[in-house]
Amino acid sequence: MPAEEPPVPTEEPPVPTEAVTPLIRGIAVLRELTEADGTLSLSGLERATGLARSTVDRIAATLARMGYVRVDGRDVHLSPHLMELGNAYLAALRLPALLSPHADALADELDESVSLAVADRDGIRFIHQATRRRAMSLSFRIGDLLPAERTAPGPLFATEWTPADWQRWRERRAADPRDLSFTAVPPRTYGADARYDEDFVRRVEEASANGWAVDDQLIEPGLVAISAPIRSPHTDGEAAAHTDGEAAAGEGRIACVASIVSHTSRHTAHHLRTTLLPRLRSAVTEMEEELRRTPPPEPGPPSSNLALWTGESKLRLGRDFIESLARGLTVLTAFGEGRPELTLTEVARATGLARATARRALITYEHLNLVTTRQSRTFTLTPRVLSLGYPPLSRTSLPEIAQPHLADLTSRIHESTSLAVLSDSGEEIQYTARVTTGRVMSVNITVGTRLPAKATAGGRVLLADRTDDRTSQHILASVRSDGYALVDEELEEGLRSLAVPIRDRAGRVVAALSTAMHAPRRSLRECVTDLLPELMSTATHIESDLHTATRFTHVPLT
């Protein structure tokens, strides 16, 4: 059959006159980077967004100054710090923090992947994934958007659609018959099919009657899932605030949907219904009880306050820094735990922005469907905030987080730098990331190399955090007290190494940042006076990114 043309987008509402154009353009750049899995060249961004190259360069420079992207030559990469925008939505939603432990426990019990999803207009968006490590495993990421009709959660959410929702769905199906706009799923082989749409209507009716729904290989052959709704105990609380605000909130509305996802080599759709559905329903009951008994948290401080900082950045970078873009992005960070709904005054106060500036940013976000207003004249974030970089960044690892920081450190100290973790036995360290410097005589260590933990600076930093270690107690006590380890020619003659800890959100040492060199290049005193401050500064930057990335996701250490 002839190839189909790309989907024709449905008519977009006109841009409000008070919208902030640089903010719209900045959001477009972030979305294109997200669709490109986190990396795109500057020229690629120019083509994808239709913006002038000079505009793309200025947007990239502004986002880099904010720590949201990293510009490496001609390429732009999303940075973990950008996840603070998605974290603001997830923290305001509360559902991941309250329900993720239950989803993880269910996944462990059944040895199957379990996900949590919320409605995003006529699609679903994941807010938590508890996956299993298998050759064939779930590849969806937090923030991924899927069409409602090709999922198990979709029919459940559609039981609450209004006539306007159904109309919007039909318009989208007609404009994008092969789901090309949903990059997280394989495109449909064929285009629009009335029977396929009628089948979705039937599945919605069955979901309404049964209280559960099944995906029997709708996304791709072999993938099956069964879903059950988790209903909010609140009449107008934050659990119901994740929609676009069109459906009226009420007692027992769907807050999110839990799904068990498997493969036909393990379970058929029928087997999911007969064997795993009772346990899923039991877990859903536990989750709903968690929502009922947990009171709303007290409002905490906003995750960041960039309003005052933007003026300084404008002075430093000049016209390359787009202040209106930076200030607009600041508005999203005003929301968070205990702050699911904010008035205009509260947004302005949280960000330090003038009311007029905050108002224009909120008008822009409403146009982009990132923010919605409620009848109480308050604003809430929508799940679409997760489209700003969250999916590719949610699968990052600690070595990937550390690598650009290692490169910056190496360029400053002109010595090779490494990241290492402790082996399961606790007797060795394994190097997981490394950046070398060009010298005739250099330390020959590669990623994957294992060395005795007690004879290396990185190993001692890692061992010092173990309270049950009784060997070399006086050495490790000194490392704990000093906050670093310096090893002089103990592993090998002429080899001198220095290491500092990398700590997780709970304060546990999870990795060691180190540098090693030929002893004559630097004295022991110079290692402490010249290199140690640089290592500690880099460790702080790595920890900042790690803490942001691990707030609602799991970051592998290797």
Side-chain angles (χ1 to χ4, degrees):
M1 60 181 296
E4 288 194 44
E5 295 293 325
V8 178
T10 55
E11 185 176 349
E12 295 290 338
V15 177
T17 56
E18 294 182 275
V20 183
T21 300
L23 182 55
I24 294 175
R25 292 171 174 172
I27 294 297
V29 166
L30 289 175
R31 283 180 168 165
E32 291 298 337
L33 283 167
T34 303
E35 294 299 322
D37 209 30
T39 300
L40 203 57
S41 67
L42 288 164
S43 58
L45 281 170
E46 180 185 1
R47 290 190 298 269
T49 60
L51 299 172
R53 176 59 183 268
S54 59
T55 301
V56 170
D57 290 344
R58 293 180 64 209
I59 290 172
T62 303
L63 295 175
R65 173 66 175 165
M66 299 181 75
Y68 288 169
V69 305
R70 175 172 52 88
V71 181
D72 183 10
R74 296 181 178 181
D75 292 331
V76 183
H77 309 267
L78 294 179
S79 296
H81 188 58
L82 176 64
M83 295 177 74
E84 75 170 357
L85 302 183
N87 285 347
Y89 163 73
L90 294 173
L93 186 66
R94 289 186 65 206
L95 298 178
L98 293 178
L99 306 185
S100 294
H102 296 276
D104 294 344
L106 181 62
D108 290 340
E109 175 189 340
L110 302 180
D111 194 27
E112 298 289 352
S113 295
V114 174
S115 65
L116 300 175
V118 295
D120 188 346
R121 296 167 73 89
D122 60 345
I124 72 152
R125 203 177 287 272
F126 293 110
I127 59 171
H128 181 71
Q129 293 281 3
T131 58
R132 318 314 292 163
R133 289 190 175 182
R134 296 196 183 100
M136 290 188 296
S137 61
L138 188 69
S139 62
F140 294 125
R141 306 160 300 183
I142 296 177
D144 271 338
L145 178 68
L146 278 62
E149 67 274 10
R150 292 179 64 181
T151 68
L156 292 166
F157 287 122
T159 61
E160 297 182 345
W161 282 2
T162 65
D165 295 326
W166 280 103
Q167 179 61 29
R168 182 168 53 206
W169 173 74
R170 291 187 175 93
E171 290 174 355
R172 189 262 296 168
R173 287 283 297 130
D176 185 12
R178 295 187 56 208
D179 298 332
L180 298 179
S181 60
F182 293 89
T183 57
V185 297
R188 285 175 48 80
T189 305
Y190 303 103
D193 187 333
R195 290 174 298 178
Y196 183 86
D197 291 355
E198 292 170 1
D199 180 66
F200 178 61
V201 174
R202 176 186 56 79
R203 291 176 59 221
V204 173
E205 293 172 349
E206 292 176 350
S208 180
N210 297 331
W212 51 266
V214 167
D215 164 12
D216 190 358
Q217 306 179 76
L218 293 172
I219 293 176
E220 66 179 25
L223 183 66
V224 291
I226 189 164
S227 299
I230 301 165
R231 298 189 178 276
S232 170
H234 310 287
T235 56
D236 60 352
E238 60 276 4
H242 68 269
T243 66
D244 288 337
E246 295 184 0
E251 184 71 13
R253 294 189 58 79
I254 298 176
C256 66
V257 168
S259 305
I260 299 172
V261 186
S262 189
H263 195 272
T264 50
S265 59
R266 294 175 59 84
H267 296 282
T268 64
H270 174 75
H271 194 252
L272 286 179
R273 292 194 301 269
T274 57
T275 305
L276 300 187
L277 179 58
R279 183 61 192 94
L280 174 61
R281 280 178 154 168
S282 176
V284 163
T285 299
E286 295 169 4
M287 294 181 189
E288 290 177 339
E289 177 59 29
E290 184 78 44
L291 294 180
R292 276 192 293 271
R293 68 170 176 256
T294 305
E298 291 295 323
S303 59
S304 64
N305 185 342
L306 301 177
L308 298 178
W309 171 87
T310 56
E312 175 191 341
S313 298
K314 183 66 175 178
L315 291 174
R316 179 174 177 178
L317 298 182
R319 72 177 305 275
D320 287 337
F321 185 80
I322 307 174
E323 193 169 10
S324 58
L325 169 58
R327 288 182 170 179
L329 290 172
T330 303
V331 166
L332 297 179
T333 67
F335 299 84
E337 186 175 10
R339 305 188 310 278
E341 305 174 34
L342 297 175
T343 64
L344 172 58
T345 299
E346 290 169 335
V347 170
R349 184 184 304 123
T351 58
L353 296 172
R355 276 176 53 92
T357 302
R359 178 174 174 273
R360 291 191 65 200
L362 290 168
I363 289 173
T364 306
Y365 286 135
E366 279 193 277
H367 170 69
L368 298 174
N369 296 312
L370 294 167
V371 164
T372 185
T373 54
R374 309 194 69 187
Q375 292 180 349
S376 55
R377 298 178 64 83
T378 58
F379 299 87
T380 62
L381 301 181
T382 74
R384 195 147 299 191
V385 174
L386 295 176
S387 69
L388 305 181
Y390 219 87
L393 291 172
S394 69
R395 288 289 177 88
T396 192
S397 65
L398 180 55
E400 291 170 328
I401 289 174
Q403 193 71 27
H405 296 289
L406 294 182
D408 289 343
L409 175 61
T410 296
S411 69
R412 294 198 306 271
I413 67 175
H414 307 292
E415 301 288 356
S416 298
T417 57
S418 304
L419 189 78
V421 297
L422 202 61
S423 66
D424 292 338
S425 67
E427 297 180 354
E428 295 178 313
I429 60 169
Q430 179 178 3
Y431 289 91
T432 59
R434 182 165 172 80
V435 174
T436 60
T437 187
R439 288 185 181 272
V440 174
M441 183 177 292
S442 60
V443 181
N444 186 22
I445 297 174
T446 58
V447 172
T449 297
R450 289 174 177 257
L451 294 175
K454 294 177 183 177
T456 60
R460 291 180 183 178
V461 162
L462 289 160
L463 290 173
D465 196 55
R466 289 193 167 192
T467 57
D468 57 346
D469 196 297
R470 293 292 177 266
T471 61
S472 306
Q473 191 170 7
H474 65 287
I475 296 178
L476 299 183
S478 176
V479 172
R480 279 193 295 270
S481 174
D482 296 339
Y484 69 91
L486 179 59
V487 175
D488 186 28
E489 302 188 74
E490 294 184 36
L491 180 66
E492 183 179 316
E493 290 184 3
L495 181 63
R496 184 170 289 160
S497 61
L498 177 69
V500 296
I502 302 294
R503 299 181 183 274
D504 64 11
R505 290 177 62 87
R508 296 183 295 264
V509 177
V510 295
L513 169 65
S514 65
T515 184
M517 71 216 75
H518 190 216
R521 283 211 295 268
R522 295 180 191 267
S523 67
L524 293 176
R525 178 179 177 82
E526 287 173 332
C527 286
V528 175
T529 58
D530 298 345
L531 298 184
L532 182 59
E534 295 286 356
L535 262 69
M536 286 185 164
S537 174
T538 299
T540 298
H541 290 303
I542 294 174
E543 288 176 344
S544 177
D545 281 351
L546 177 63
H547 298 173
T548 300
T550 55
R551 186 170 183 188
F552 294 105
T553 66
H554 170 70
V555 173
L557 299 181
T558 58

